[in-house]
Amino acid sequence: MSITQTVEITDNYRQVTVPSEIPSGPVIITFTSANTEPKKVPVFGCSKGKYRMADDFDAPLEDFKDYM
């Protein structure tokens, strides 16, 4: 026998009250997200031009001069 019961859980409420018409016994609980929007997949190259690397990126740092 299988019974499906939908219970809404609000953001600040952590305990679920089981309706009295549900018989006692073993329970399988499945959590699903209410967010039905598909997950956005990043497109290759979508960040092109947003970041710039300094011309002296590979140059030695003054702070580490004593260790080199």
Side-chain angles (χ1 to χ4, degrees):
M1 180 168 98
S2 175
I3 297 173
T4 301
Q5 177 70 34
T6 301
V7 179
E8 183 177 339
I9 302 173
T10 59
D11 289 337
N12 56 1
Y13 198 82
R14 300 288 182 229
Q15 184 177 359
V16 177
T17 304
V18 179
S20 60
E21 62 268 9
I22 303 296
S24 61
V27 177
I28 297 174
I29 299 175
T30 304
F31 293 96
T32 58
S33 173
N35 185 1
T36 57
E37 294 179 20
K39 187 175 181 180
K40 293 182 181 179
V41 178
V43 178
F44 182 78
C46 65
S47 295
K48 185 176 182 177
K50 292 185 178 182
Y51 303 98
R52 186 183 67 83
M53 187 175 296
D55 294 332
D56 63 346
F57 178 79
D58 290 328
L61 298 174
E62 287 286 323
D63 295 339
F64 294 110
K65 186 167 48 170
D66 296 338
Y67 301 104
M68 298 176 89

